[in-house]
Amino acid sequence: MALTAGIVGLPNVGKSTLFNAITNSQVLAENYPFATIAPNVGVVEVPDERMDNIVELFHPKRTIYTTFEFTDIAGLVKGASRGEGLGNQFLSHIRQTDAICHVVRCFEDDDIMHVEGSVDPIRDIDEINLELCIADLDTVENRISKVQRKAQTKEKDAVQEYATLVKLKDALVAGTPVRLLELNDTDREYLKNYGLLTGKPVIYVANMSDVEINEPESNEYYAAVKKFADSEGSECIAICAKMEEELAGLSKEEKREFLDELGIERSGLDQIIRAAYHLLGLRTFFTVGEPECRAWTFREGMLAPQCAGIIHTDFEKGFIRAEIYSYDDLMEYKTEASLKEHGKIRLEGKEYPMKDGDVVFFRFNV
């Protein structure tokens, strides 16, 4: 389930430094279920304390965490929607992503020139949003030209789609991203076919100096970005991309010690990974045992047979039932024997919606 978040931003905001941290943290090829990793894609483990605790109980020979992809998007300049700079490359790459991590500069540094000549993160956010709105407007207007004549003949589907397109056009002309609109079910069905850039969910990444990162609220630029993100229901994460790049080369123990010294609970990169993972409705179930403990990614709402198919298509085809217990119960009772003794292992059938944190053994017959 290779969903990806695209990292976007203006030049000199720390986008490339953040991506370097991601590639330095990249999982080993044998732990990644896809054969080829493109040069602009970083594949990272999703940090999960539950998996760490499971490993302490089972002491497996092999441990595999679930993974998430980040795509490094070509730098944006004003006029990208008209093909300026690497605009066409930027737009084509971002169209292929499922979510956007928008890196904005929240630090002063005379040695690093800002493309606009000054630090103003809200201006930078507006600039990228405008370019995406212009690109989406072009897509919507092209579709309107194809649907409008049919709508005039009162063809039902065309009338409904035209109404949706007009709603989208009005918003985009006003510079409002599609993700902020109140849409009905019919609108959303049509929206799936358009691939609009401003329809993708966004996480704002406020990149600040290593001096300020342990108290981000004291940074006026971060405060402005946080307020902006809150106003549209998006998440804002404070990072120091330069520090993340340095942390990526350390062991887990060294990283933990370094963060403890700074009084930081979790690295910025870990926060971004977890936020992007959950933003896309992704959840985790576990398979456990002495040979291997493994975390698997599934979409919220998937049924047990579909999740079995994530492991192997034969598991879904021949699904019989799932033996399931919760992570919380495992932490309380410690062993599967004790879980069984206390009636905590359940048998679930084909209609069971998997839950985040389920520990499962699938029974199947092909």
Side-chain angles (χ1 to χ4, degrees):
M1 190 170 294
L3 298 182
T4 183
I7 302 176
V8 307
L10 294 173
N12 296 336
V13 298
K15 181 177 70 71
S16 297
T17 305
L18 176 61
F19 188 72
N20 287 342
I22 289 170
T23 53
N24 287 340
S25 302
Q26 191 154 290
V27 297
L28 298 175
E30 59 264 30
N31 285 351
Y32 186 61
F34 303 95
T36 303
I37 299 175
N40 68 324
V41 174
V43 183
V44 291
E45 290 180 345
V46 177
D48 195 330
E49 294 87 350
R50 297 174 301 180
M51 191 62 167
D52 299 333
N53 294 331
I54 287 171
V55 167
E56 287 185 12
L57 291 179
F58 286 88
H59 305 290
K61 295 175 183 175
R62 189 178 187 214
T63 302
I64 301 178
Y65 288 72
T66 192
T67 58
F68 191 80
E69 286 188 3
F70 288 92
T71 301
D72 189 25
I73 305 295
L76 177 75
V77 295
K78 189 179 291 186
S81 56
R82 300 185 300 277
E84 297 292 334
L86 293 174
N88 291 330
Q89 183 181 351
F90 171 88
L91 296 174
S92 66
H93 282 177
I94 199 172
R95 211 175 294 280
Q96 296 168 26
T97 66
D98 303 286
I100 296 171
C101 288
H102 186 162
V103 182
V104 289
R105 179 168 166 174
C106 294
F107 66 90
E108 298 277 1
D109 190 331
D110 293 338
D111 295 328
I112 303 177
M113 182 69 71
H114 192 288
V115 68
E116 296 292 349
S118 63
V119 178
D120 184 342
I122 303 304
R123 176 202 59 209
D124 296 352
I125 289 172
D126 287 341
E127 190 166 303
I128 285 188
N129 280 343
L130 177 60
E131 294 297 335
L132 298 185
C133 283
I134 292 171
D136 280 351
L137 183 60
D138 185 53
T139 299
V140 168
E141 288 180 333
N142 285 338
R143 183 61 189 167
I144 285 177
S145 67
K146 296 176 182 178
V147 173
Q148 189 170 16
R149 184 172 296 177
K150 289 183 179 179
Q152 290 170 344
T153 65
K154 306 300 182 183
E155 186 179 313
K156 184 178 178 181
D157 286 347
V159 169
Q160 290 179 332
E161 183 176 4
Y162 182 72
T164 296
L165 288 165
V166 170
K167 186 185 299 186
L168 298 177
K169 179 180 177 179
D170 289 346
L172 293 167
V173 167
T176 302
V178 168
R179 67 178 178 276
L180 302 183
L181 297 182
E182 290 187 13
L183 302 175
N184 58 40
D185 292 341
T186 302
D187 293 333
R188 292 191 187 92
E189 279 303 310
Y190 287 120
L191 192 61
K192 291 177 184 177
N193 302 318
Y194 305 148
L196 298 184
L197 305 174
T198 64
K200 299 179 186 294
V202 173
I203 298 169
Y204 293 100
V205 180
N207 183 24
M208 59 186 64
S209 72
D210 55 358
V211 176
E212 298 175 295
I213 190 59
N214 59 337
E215 292 184 6
E217 292 78 9
S218 63
N219 180 302
E220 63 177 311
Y221 298 130
Y222 168 78
V225 176
K226 180 73 166 61
K227 182 178 179 181
F228 181 94
D230 289 345
S231 72
E232 62 173 48
S234 298
E235 189 162 355
C236 177
I237 295 174
I239 69 160
C240 171
K242 183 179 179 182
M243 188 177 78
E244 297 298 329
E245 190 177 26
E246 295 170 355
L247 282 172
L250 302 179
S251 67
K252 281 188 177 181
E253 294 74 18
E254 291 171 328
K255 185 187 295 185
R256 184 67 268 157
E257 185 178 339
F258 185 87
L259 292 173
D260 286 344
E261 288 180 4
L262 293 176
I264 299 174
E265 182 179 348
R266 184 176 287 122
S267 77
L269 180 54
D270 282 356
Q271 292 180 61
I272 293 170
I273 296 168
R274 289 164 65 99
Y277 188 81
H278 285 276
L279 183 67
L280 292 174
L282 301 180
R283 303 294 182 260
T284 303
F285 70 86
F286 304 98
T287 53
V288 300
E290 187 179 334
E292 177 183 280
C293 287
R294 183 162 185 164
W296 302 86
T297 298
F298 70 99
R299 275 192 180 277
E300 188 170 21
M302 288 178 69
L303 302 180
Q306 296 172 298
C307 289
I310 293 171
I311 298 176
H312 197 287
T313 53
D314 285 348
F315 285 25
E316 182 173 6
K317 291 175 184 175
F319 179 89
I320 300 173
R321 64 178 181 271
E323 297 178 6
I324 295 175
Y325 53 86
S326 73
Y327 164 80
D328 290 338
D329 285 341
L330 176 61
M331 290 301 103
E332 181 176 352
Y333 295 102
K334 306 302 181 185
T335 68
E336 290 186 338
S338 181
L339 285 162
K340 190 172 184 180
E341 180 185 340
H342 288 85
K344 296 298 182 180
I345 298 181
R346 315 184 310 275
L347 295 180
E348 301 288 359
K350 293 182 179 180
E351 299 305 314
Y352 174 72
M354 292 285 286
K355 296 180 175 58
D356 187 50
D358 277 347
V359 185
V360 61
F361 177 78
F362 292 110
R363 294 200 177 276
F364 70 103
N365 183 27
V366 177

